[in-house]
Amino acid sequence: MGNPMEDRIARSMAEFEERRAQIMDLQREFRSTSVTVTAKDRSVEVTVDAQGNVTGLRFLNAKYRSLPPAELAAVLMQTMAEARAQVRGQVLEAFRPLSGRSIGEGEGLDWDRLFGRLREEGLPVPPVRPPAPGTAARPGLADEITEDDERENR
């Protein structure tokens, strides 16, 4: 029978490699992803890539010629913003299954849930909560993100 910690590490590494491969596939897919949006007045069409860069701009009729410069600029900016919002939504939706939000559900890591089974097996685990400010240096891991957020809020 193998070491439980080594087994968990091996499973975690396999999950990591699977997740990494999925992310690489998504990145390749997004290299060719684009969104095209037509302005509400149908005067202009804007295409953006997955990074939000404008890759195409077409004037669909002669209406743009009669628009005052400020209005044409506003139509272009609004259409670009809509295209960027749509492509951002597509990218976020595609990455959602890979986001790992199940642990802690967006409230930071749930250390008790993450390390609970290891603790039950009697294996050493990092502290669940960081020590109070002003205490001695802590051994093991702590939720550094939470600590950074706490410092910023002071």
Side-chain angles (χ1 to χ4, degrees), residues 131 135-139:
T135 61
R138 65 190 181 278

Side-chain angles (χ1 to χ4, degrees), residues 120-140:
E120 289 169 8
E121 293 175 13
L123 297 170
V125 296
V128 173
R129 305 264 185 271
T135 61
R138 65 190 181 278

Side-chain angles (χ1 to χ4, degrees), residues 3-55:
N3 180 329
M5 184 62 105
E6 288 176 2
D7 293 344
R8 286 183 188 276
I9 291 171
R11 281 194 306 271
S12 293
M13 286 302 296
E15 289 174 19
F16 168 78
E17 288 301 328
E18 181 181 333
R19 181 79 40 106
R20 183 175 165 271
Q22 291 170 333
I23 290 170
M24 297 301 284
D25 288 344
L26 283 171
Q27 286 178 331
R28 278 189 291 278
E29 178 184 329
F30 285 127
R31 285 190 191 119
S32 62
T33 296
S34 65
V35 169
T36 301
V37 172
T38 303
K40 291 178 182 168
D41 68 359
R42 307 203 43 80
S43 63
V44 65
E45 178 181 271
V46 175
T47 302
V48 298
D49 64 15
Q51 290 79 35
N53 299 315
V54 176
T55 59

Side-chain angles (χ1 to χ4, degrees), residues 41 43-44 58-69 72:
D41 68 359
S43 63
V44 65
R58 286 187 344 140
F59 294 97
L60 301 176
N61 53 43
K63 181 176 181 176
Y64 75 93
R65 291 182 183 158
S66 64
L67 294 174
L72 177 58

